[in-house]
Amino acid sequence: MKQLEGAFPVLVTPMFEQEEVNVDGLRSNIEHFINQDVAGLVVNGSTGEFVSLEKQEKFQLMEAAVEQVGGRVPLIVGTAAETTKDAIMYTQYAEKIGADAALLINSYYAHPKDAEIYEHFKAVANSVTLPIMIYNNPFTSGVDIGTETILQVARDVENITHIKESSGDIRKVRDITRQGKDDIQTFCGADDLVLESLLVGATGWISVAGNIVPKLATNLFHSVQQGDLDKAWNYYDQILPLCNFLEGSGKYVQIVKRTMDLQGLAGGPSRKPRLPLNQQEEATLKAILLQLEQYVTI
């Protein structure tokens, strides 16, 4: 098992103007991020519009990412699905092609109860030997998984090794991290709480902002790791306006894709019903990027 630690950009799925998946664009983006010395990468996550992708597209993106990364950094593959049966299928495929871990959220339409979420995670994890990072995001799935449920499934299932915690509740991050320290490691999944999460013991960050400023995200993580909190706060002050915009806009996918385009990387449109940035959102983004010009080339 590769060590999962640090700031992992969760990549967009590049698309052409007619919303076809741009696999070569994903490959070139992966090279860009590896050249930026990221700790690891995530594909087929929420930022990758996984719910808007067809089955074969998900397989194609997994395959391309595993091949392009080539073992140079850890690669986490999103394998979520509405049903347990489909989540098992995607997770087994991720293991088969050589992903380093799978990212798994609960059903996002059924609004399952905690007992159902426990059985879902357990069944998927037991179908593979691949490390599983479970995912709590009440804003997208409609369910805030109970802390004890998270801790219990990590105790009971050996290869549930990590959690991406995106509830926005720093007390939850603290409790999972402290109480589960022998069973599960915490990754921050809320960009506007990353420093706070690292200070209470999170060991990684699944980062949307890391798509835009990967070096800044990496610097922030390393400064905490090295115990230089003055430097960490300085980096956080720089990145936080971007994080707040991503978390509060409702258009985090479009923001990242637009910035990728501005940098000459592969972005493109998002699948409808997601719409492009409006004039005000575009102006806000460019003003934020101007303040980050030492990290962003546009």
Side-chain angles (χ1 to χ4, degrees):
M1 171 182 165
K2 288 186 179 176
Q3 184 175 18
L4 305 179
E5 182 177 277
F8 285 46
V10 52
L11 303 189
V12 296
T13 297
M15 294 183 183
F16 297 112
E17 287 307 312
Q18 298 304 312
E19 300 182 9
E20 305 101 331
V21 169
N22 178 0
V23 176
D24 287 339
L26 176 67
R27 289 179 179 275
S28 64
N29 287 349
I30 286 170
E31 285 304 306
H32 164 74
F33 287 111
I34 290 177
N35 289 336
Q36 295 287 309
D37 296 321
V38 298
L41 295 168
V42 184
V43 297
N44 284 0
S46 299
T47 307
E49 301 174 74
F50 81 91
V51 294
S52 301
L53 299 173
E54 297 175 3
K55 174 182 173 182
Q56 290 305 319
E57 290 173 329
K58 292 177 184 178
F59 287 159
Q60 186 180 26
L61 291 163
M62 288 184 199
E63 292 165 2
V66 169
E67 182 181 326
Q68 193 66 36
V69 169
R72 290 175 288 173
V73 297
L75 175 67
I76 302 174
V77 172
T79 60
E82 179 62 21
T83 66
T84 304
K85 179 181 178 181
D86 283 350
I88 288 173
M89 173 189 65
Y90 288 125
T91 306
Q92 288 180 338
Y93 194 77
E95 180 173 56
K96 176 183 175 182
I97 64 172
D100 295 301
L103 178 64
L104 182 68
I105 199 168
N106 55 275
S107 300
Y108 31 84
Y109 183 81
H111 293 185
K113 305 300 183 186
D114 270 32
E116 295 169 323
I117 295 169
Y118 174 94
E119 294 298 336
H120 176 76
F121 287 158
K122 182 178 179 180
V124 176
N126 281 339
S127 75
V128 294
T129 60
L130 191 69
I132 303 293
M133 179 181 288
I134 59 176
Y135 183 12
N136 181 42
N137 190 337
F139 303 103
T140 56
S141 74
V143 178
D144 189 4
I145 308 168
T147 298
E148 186 51 43
T149 299
I150 293 165
L151 295 172
Q152 191 62 52
V153 77
R155 293 186 200 111
D156 293 347
V157 185
E158 184 177 5
N159 61 320
I160 292 180
T161 57
H162 293 75
I163 179 167
K164 178 185 176 187
E165 220 315 295
S166 302
S167 68
D169 184 350
I170 195 62
R171 296 167 298 182
K172 193 159 199 164
V173 179
R174 176 199 65 203
D175 291 346
I176 294 168
T177 303
R178 299 297 298 162
Q179 296 174 35
K181 61 184 178 180
D182 295 326
D183 303 300
I184 194 165
Q185 294 183 51
T186 307
F187 268 54
C188 174
D191 273 19
D192 56 354
L193 277 178
V194 60
L195 181 52
E196 294 88 340
S197 297
L198 294 174
L199 291 176
V200 298
T203 56
W205 175 19
I206 303 293
S207 176
V208 182
N211 282 282
I212 297 172
V213 283
K215 282 193 178 297
L216 180 52
T218 297
N219 289 345
L220 172 55
F221 179 83
H222 284 162
S223 62
V224 175
Q225 196 175 42
Q226 294 159 5
D228 191 341
L229 295 187
D230 287 339
K231 187 177 286 187
W233 279 108
N234 178 53
Y235 288 136
Y236 199 32
D237 288 341
Q238 293 178 64
I239 203 172
L240 194 53
L242 174 62
C243 294
N244 287 334
F245 185 42
L246 289 164
E247 291 285 356
S249 66
K251 287 187 173 182
Y252 61 98
V253 175
Q254 296 97 311
I255 290 168
V256 174
K257 284 192 160 184
R258 178 60 178 144
T259 307
M260 300 293 278
D261 288 336
L262 289 170
Q263 295 184 92
L265 300 166
S270 298
R271 282 197 172 150
K272 292 181 175 61
R274 284 190 165 103
L275 295 176
L277 303 184
N278 60 36
Q279 288 185 343
Q280 182 177 352
E281 291 161 344
E282 177 94 2
T284 300
L285 173 60
K286 288 183 175 178
I288 291 170
L289 295 179
L290 185 63
Q291 298 301 312
L292 294 167
E293 60 182 351
Q294 70 184 101
Y295 299 103
V296 181
T297 303
I298 59 173

